[in-house]
């Protein structure tokens, strides 16, 4: 119910005795507020306050009822204060036993130190003699894929369509192929079918893994029946990707990387770096690393982006920055295409485009936009014209706003 403004969570306490405190949680929002006469209805199961005003808000009306029952089990109760049209404050107190009265200090700094001390990511294997092909119609997805496998030293070729894939497999033998399911032209299913029904290429026995953003229950069995070796959900997680590559790449081409190997290599690198080299690396005027940090900090100011999720999806901060640049560069073209297909009522191509937007938005951490695109993709699949008519304008507006925010980075 808080479409703009803020939600503030505050935790305080008061000492009850030598062993216990009363721990108070307060959640304040700047939402729509509640009329005094409606506050008593809050905890009734399935009761919806101001049904007409809040018709766009999903939910079954059980949350507050469950909350009050849980608090009752803890000998507590829910306190509600609200000003209609301005916002509400919900609060409760629970008795807690104290294990240690010593102050924990600055937990934010402690968390930063803890994260900094964690083992840095390193690749789980290397396969410098292996060749793989990744097929995806979204350029940003190809960039992200390359970033995720960069440290494995695998050689990567990329194709932007099923037709390009069918052409490349005639020219080169690959150890593994990753093939996107949903593409314009021949999609992943059709492309694989053409591969398997022909021996006029060099990859008749190459395992093919499907890339899909629709990893629903039963999907794996469907893809296996179609002839895929396995499937990988989008956004791709590096650990799942590496595990799959280890499983399907020829065993003789895969070198498993251990912590001892990384430590030995690090020691060797440290010995080879001269003081002069160190000075050059740490020189802020050199700037690539500090410039990257500055870009990440600017991106963190965009509230609709989950930067940490984006970095995880792209494998590194550098990979994320590159993905953001490509995303921003393609907004104008993709926006125009979605709008064109919508106006022409070309539901098939409209659905393909919002599918691509769903995938790329989730990769960069624009989860809300990605979910909005997912809803319209589902509507396109079901030929749900009513939902498409109702939601496309909002999708395009949010897409445009994000593009404006990214243009200043």
């Amino acid at each position: 119910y808080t479409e703009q403004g803020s939600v503030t969570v505050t935790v305080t306490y008061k000492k009850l005795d030598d062993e216990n405190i009363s721990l108070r949680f307060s959640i304040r929002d700047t939402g729509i507020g509640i009329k005094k006469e409606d506050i008593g209805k809050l905890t009734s199961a399935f009761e919806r306050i101001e049904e007409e005003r809040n018709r766009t808000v999903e939910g079954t009306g059980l949350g507050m009822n469950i909350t009050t029952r849980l608090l009752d089990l803890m000998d507590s109760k829910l306190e509600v204060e609200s000003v209609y049209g301005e916002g509400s404050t919900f609060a409760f107190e629970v008795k807690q036993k104290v294990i240690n009265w010593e102050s924990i200090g600055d937990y934010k700094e402690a968390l930063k130190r803890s994260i900094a001390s964690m083992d840095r990511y390193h690749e789980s294997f290397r396969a410098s003699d292996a060749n793989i092909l990744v097929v995806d119609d979204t350029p940003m997805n190809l960039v992200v894929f390359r970033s995720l496998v960069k440290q494995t030293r695998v050689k990567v070729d990329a194709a932007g369509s099923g037709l390009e894939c069918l052409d490349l497999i005639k020219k080169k033998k690959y150890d593994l192929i990753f093939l996107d399911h949903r593409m314009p032209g021949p999609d992943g299913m059709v492309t694989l079918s053409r591969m398997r029904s022909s021996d006029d290429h060099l990859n008749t026995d190459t395992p093919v893994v499907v890339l899909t953003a629709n990893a629903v229950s039963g999907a794996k069995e469907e893809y296996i029946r179609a002839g895929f070796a396995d499937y990988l959900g989008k956004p791709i997680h590096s650990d799942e990707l590496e595990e799959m590559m280890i499983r399907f790449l020829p065993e003789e081409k895969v070198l498993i990387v251990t912590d001892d190997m990384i430590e030995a290599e690090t020691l060797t690198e440290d010995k080879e770096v001269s003081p002069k080299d160190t000075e050059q690396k740490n020189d802020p005027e050199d700037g690539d690393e500090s410039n990257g940090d500055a870009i990440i900090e600017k991106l963190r100011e965009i509230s609709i982006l989950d930067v940490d999720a984006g970095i995880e999806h792209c494998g590194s901060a550098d990979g994320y920055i590159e993905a953001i640049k490509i995303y921003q560069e393609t907004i104008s073209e993709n926006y125009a295409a979605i709008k064109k297909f919508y106006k022409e009522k070309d539901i098939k191509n409209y659905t393909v485009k919002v599918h691509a937007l769903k995938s790329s938005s989730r990769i960069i951490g624009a989860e809300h936009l990605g979910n909005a695109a997912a809803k319209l993709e589902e509507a396109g699949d079901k030929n749900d014209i009513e939902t498409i008519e109702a939601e496309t304008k909002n999708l395009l507006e949010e897409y445009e706003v994000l593009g404006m925010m990214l243009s200043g980075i």
Side-chain angles (χ1 to χ4, degrees):
Y1 298 95
T2 306
E3 294 183 357
Q4 57 186 359
S6 62
V7 177
T8 305
V9 180
T10 305
V11 185
T12 57
Y13 77 96
K14 60 183 177 183
K15 187 174 180 179
L16 297 177
D17 52 46
D18 289 340
E19 289 189 343
N20 299 286
I21 61 170
S22 176
L23 192 59
R24 182 178 180 83
F25 290 84
S26 172
I27 301 90
R28 177 174 58 85
D29 67 57
T30 57
I32 60 176
I34 307 164
K35 293 178 180 178
K36 285 185 179 180
E37 60 266 31
D38 284 332
I39 288 179
K41 302 177 184 177
L42 279 173
T43 59
S44 300
F46 300 107
E47 181 77 43
R48 297 297 301 281
I49 296 173
E50 292 192 271
E51 192 77 39
E52 178 61 25
R53 184 183 185 193
N54 301 318
R55 64 186 182 277
T56 61
V57 181
E58 297 179 3
T60 57
L62 276 173
M64 297 299 286
N65 179 266
I66 292 170
T67 297
T68 53
R69 290 165 66 186
L70 287 172
L71 288 173
D72 185 56
L73 291 171
M74 294 187 284
D75 297 320
S76 184
K77 64 179 181 179
L78 186 67
E79 304 166 22
V80 183
E81 294 180 2
S82 186
V83 177
Y84 187 66
E86 294 183 13
S88 308
T89 299
F90 298 83
F92 61 89
E93 295 184 12
V94 288
K95 184 178 179 181
Q96 293 282 281
K97 183 177 181 179
V98 178
I99 303 300
N100 187 335
W101 286 96
E102 185 178 347
S103 171
I104 64 170
D106 189 332
Y107 77 92
K108 289 184 179 178
E109 284 301 317
L111 179 61
K112 287 180 182 178
R113 290 195 300 271
S114 175
I115 293 173
S117 66
M118 290 180 184
D119 291 337
R120 293 183 64 189
Y121 158 81
H122 69 74
E123 68 279 15
S124 58
F125 77 98
R126 292 173 191 159
S128 54
D129 293 329
N131 292 278
I132 67 173
L133 173 65
V134 57
V135 187
D136 197 305
D137 64 298
T138 305
M140 194 188 80
N141 292 348
L142 298 174
V143 170
V144 169
F145 190 97
R146 287 183 184 276
S147 176
L148 289 173
V149 302
K150 183 178 180 181
Q151 290 185 232
T152 68
R153 304 179 188 177
V154 170
K155 298 180 180 70
V156 181
D157 287 346
S161 68
L163 292 176
E164 190 177 350
C165 167
L166 294 171
D167 182 53
L168 286 174
I169 61 174
K170 294 178 181 179
K171 303 173 183 177
K172 187 172 181 178
K173 167 66 177 172
Y174 294 100
D175 297 300
L176 180 59
I177 296 173
F178 290 93
L179 179 60
D180 186 33
H181 178 182
R182 196 152 204 167
M183 298 182 291
D187 65 10
M189 288 286 200
V190 173
T191 302
L192 180 70
S193 176
R194 292 183 185 179
M195 287 177 63
R196 296 307 187 215
S197 62
S198 170
D199 56 6
D200 185 27
H201 58 86
L202 305 173
N203 292 270
T204 53
D205 59 346
T206 301
V208 181
V209 173
V210 65
L211 301 174
T212 176
N214 299 320
V216 296
S217 177
K220 182 172 182 177
E221 292 73 16
E222 181 184 346
Y223 288 127
I224 297 297
R225 284 195 297 271
F228 288 100
D230 209 330
Y231 82 94
L232 196 60
K234 291 181 177 180
I236 299 171
H237 295 284
S238 59
D239 54 346
E240 294 175 1
L241 174 60
E242 290 187 11
E243 183 276 327
M244 196 162 287
M245 291 172 70
I246 290 172
R247 187 148 48 94
F248 289 116
L249 288 174
E251 187 177 349
E252 66 274 11
K253 293 187 178 183
V254 175
L255 172 67
I256 301 299
V257 175
T258 65
D259 291 337
D260 290 342
M261 287 172 58
I262 296 296
E263 186 176 347
E265 290 173 356
T266 302
L267 289 172
T268 301
E269 288 172 2
D270 288 345
K271 289 178 181 178
E272 291 175 350
V273 174
S274 69
K276 185 176 180 181
D277 291 333
T278 304
E279 286 175 14
Q280 289 175 344
K281 281 185 179 180
N282 293 333
D283 184 356
E285 296 298 322
D286 250 3
D288 279 352
E289 186 173 342
S290 58
N291 185 49
D293 290 343
I295 292 173
I296 292 294
E297 287 309 309
K298 284 186 178 180
L299 290 170
R300 289 190 188 280
E301 295 173 5
I302 300 177
S303 59
I304 55 178
L305 278 183
D306 184 340
V307 172
D308 292 325
I311 291 173
E312 181 182 348
H313 295 155
C314 298
S316 67
D318 288 342
Y320 180 58
I321 291 170
E322 188 170 358
I324 285 285
K325 288 179 180 177
I326 293 175
Y327 185 94
Q328 196 275 329
E329 288 169 359
T330 57
I331 285 177
S332 179
E333 178 184 346
N334 292 336
Y335 178 97
I338 293 172
K339 190 172 183 179
K340 173 178 178 289
F341 293 135
Y342 167 69
K343 284 187 173 180
E344 294 174 353
K345 301 190 184 304
D346 183 346
I347 302 302
K348 181 180 179 181
N349 283 312
Y350 170 91
T351 305
V352 170
K353 280 297 181 182
V354 293
H355 165 81
L357 178 59
K358 173 189 74 173
S359 174
S360 58
S361 296
R362 286 176 171 173
I363 285 173
I364 66 166
E367 192 68 22
H368 187 271
L369 181 58
N371 291 341
K375 182 178 180 180
L376 285 167
E377 178 193 8
E378 183 180 358
D381 288 336
K382 295 178 178 178
N383 205 35
D384 179 359
I385 305 300
E386 184 178 346
T387 298
I388 291 173
E389 292 281 358
E391 301 291 340
T392 298
K393 181 182 177 183
N394 293 336
L395 176 86
L396 291 174
E397 285 179 355
E398 185 172 349
Y399 195 21
E400 188 174 29
V401 167
L402 180 56
M404 292 169 62
M405 291 177 171
L406 292 176
S407 64
I409 303 299

